[in-house]
Amino acid sequence: MLYLTLVVAFIASILLTPLVKRFAFRIGAVDRPNYRKVHARIMPRLGGLAIFGSFLIAYLFLQPKDPVSAAFESSLIPIETAIIIGAFLIIVTGVLDDMLEITAKAKMLGQLAAAGVVVIGGGLEISFINLPFGGVLDFGYFSIPLTIIWIVGITNAINLIDGLDGLAAGVSTVALLTLTAMAFIMGDIFVMSTAAILAASSIGFLFYNFHPAKIFMGDTGALFLGFMISVLALMGFKNVTVVALIIPIIMLGVPISDTFFAIVRRVREKKSISEADKSHLHHCLLNIGFSHSQTVLIIYGISALFGLAALLFSQATLWGGILLIGVMLLAIELFVEVVGLAGKNYRPLINLVRMIGK
């Protein structure tokens, strides 16, 4: 049944995207070129509507439920219902921004409302974690704010990397496939099915969104994917050990690290953390000479490595996990240094990477 549902999601996404493209042009939901963007012509946005529509069709077709993962003690409504309501609020927020370019405060309000529905209405919250060397850390009254911060943070992290054709959709797909595999290992049917359906919808959209893109997902798609990934990651790793709680952070290593460095950069330069710039990872790779497609594929590869690391981490012992984290932090530091050096004088290094890519 799940395999058929994935086919439904994939085909629905392929069929809906051209319709959404025409609709975006008709209502004026388009992205115009400027100094910060890499495209040179007016592009339709709202592509996220196709992802959401195909996901919703397949989700209602399968209606995934799992009493172990979906029944939370403090819920006011079923978590499945809360997720759909929250996703709808996120979609409305994204559509308004793609059409009218609403303020950052207005977008944040929509994200907080969506997160609040899932956390307060659905009862999804990080209430405690088991410490690795014994004992329990109970978050108490901070559990709801911390959970909302996680959801809003990951939602915006996906949105921030949406700077190149197919980038956010591809990175999200890698994260969703990783989440699907981990949920399968853990026996979490609800998370596995929902993540797989969303991945199939994203893959269908990539047929129109990969370079050269025919349509952008816009904030509608980026916020929706970020919201769903953040919620599903929490559902898969709720009330667990510190080590297990690190798994979704590793899995989302690319958007989280890019967002972290963006915040540090803007604070250091005494700018607002919400102010856009051209210093994200994809901008840096473009600046040192990689093509549009090469840059996207490189980041896909990095995302896949993070996903593999998350899978290994989930099966590792405590000390093995600590060692893996150390190796990953070292690798991230080396990558940042290599990118910085390549941008200055290491053109042979760029040529070598291009040869390997071919």
Side-chain angles (χ1 to χ4, degrees):
M1 186 67 171
L2 177 59
Y3 296 115
L4 177 59
T5 306
L6 298 182
V7 173
V8 169
F10 177 75
I11 294 176
S13 182
I14 289 179
L15 295 176
L16 286 175
T17 303
L19 300 178
V20 170
K21 178 183 175 182
R22 289 197 290 269
F23 177 67
F25 274 123
R26 179 170 298 181
I27 66 173
V30 295
D31 197 340
R32 291 178 171 80
N34 62 35
Y35 76 97
R36 195 175 56 85
K37 299 173 181 177
V38 297
H39 62 281
R41 59 191 176 92
I42 295 177
M43 292 290 294
R45 295 196 280 198
L46 285 184
L49 274 182
I51 300 175
F52 175 67
S54 57
F55 165 78
L56 192 60
I57 291 170
Y59 183 87
L60 294 176
F61 177 78
L62 182 64
Q63 296 186 10
K65 293 181 183 293
D66 187 85
V68 175
S69 65
F72 300 119
E73 295 179 1
S74 59
S75 63
L76 301 175
I77 56 177
I79 187 62
E80 301 97 333
T81 304
I83 290 174
I84 294 301
I85 294 174
F88 180 76
L89 292 174
I90 281 289
I91 288 294
V92 170
T93 302
V95 169
L96 289 175
D97 188 57
D98 286 338
M99 289 176 57
L100 308 173
E101 297 189 1
I102 59 177
T103 65
K105 291 182 179 179
K107 282 198 293 185
M108 180 60 67
L109 183 61
Q111 294 170 44
L112 290 173
V117 169
V118 173
V119 175
I120 300 173
L124 177 63
E125 57 181 284
I126 309 171
S127 55
F128 68 89
I129 53 174
N130 298 310
L131 299 175
F133 299 105
V136 175
L137 177 60
D138 193 333
F139 292 115
Y141 293 112
F142 293 102
S143 60
I144 289 179
L146 285 174
T147 309
I148 290 176
I149 289 172
W150 164 267
I151 293 174
V152 172
I154 298 302
T155 299
N156 281 284
I158 298 297
N159 193 29
L160 281 174
I161 65 169
D162 186 25
L164 295 180
D165 297 353
L167 183 56
V171 170
S172 296
T173 300
V174 172
L176 288 164
L177 291 175
T178 303
L179 192 54
T180 300
M182 298 180 75
F184 174 78
I185 293 172
M186 297 170 63
D188 195 326
I189 304 302
F190 179 81
V191 172
M192 181 192 73
S193 302
T194 307
I197 291 171
L198 191 53
S201 299
S202 298
I203 292 171
F205 177 72
L206 272 171
F207 276 78
Y208 301 92
N209 186 235
F210 194 79
H211 185 71
K214 299 177 179 65
I215 184 174
F216 293 161
M217 68 165 59
D219 275 20
T220 306
L223 294 179
F224 171 62
L225 288 174
F227 172 78
M228 291 298 296
I229 290 171
S230 66
V231 170
L232 292 174
L234 275 184
M235 292 186 69
F237 305 98
K238 177 178 177 285
N239 294 344
V240 289
T241 63
V242 171
V243 173
L245 196 62
I246 295 173
I247 293 173
I249 298 176
I250 297 175
M251 181 181 66
L252 298 167
V254 168
I256 288 177
S257 60
D258 195 41
T259 301
F260 172 76
F261 287 123
I263 292 173
V264 171
R265 182 174 62 249
R266 291 165 190 173
V267 170
R268 186 184 61 195
E269 296 174 357
K270 297 181 180 180
K271 297 180 179 179
S272 169
I273 60 173
S274 62
E275 183 178 342
D277 59 30
K278 294 192 69 173
S279 298
H280 291 284
L281 174 60
H282 53 275
H283 291 128
C284 294
L285 291 173
L286 287 173
N287 289 339
I288 64 177
F290 291 111
S291 70
H292 195 124
S293 297
Q294 287 173 332
T295 296
V296 172
L297 292 174
I298 288 171
I299 298 178
Y300 283 3
I302 297 171
S303 299
L305 290 176
F306 273 114
L308 178 61
L311 285 171
L312 293 174
F313 190 86
S314 68
Q315 304 301 308
T317 63
L318 174 61
W319 291 109
I322 293 173
L323 177 62
L324 183 59
I325 290 176
V327 171
M328 287 185 58
L329 291 175
L330 178 60
I332 291 172
E333 173 62 23
L334 289 175
F335 179 76
V336 171
E337 292 294 334
V338 167
V339 169
L341 289 172
K344 295 177 181 178
N345 302 308
Y346 281 55
R347 187 62 56 180
L349 178 62
I350 301 173
N351 294 333
L352 176 62
V353 175
R354 282 178 172 173
M355 290 174 60
I356 295 174
K358 294 179 179 178

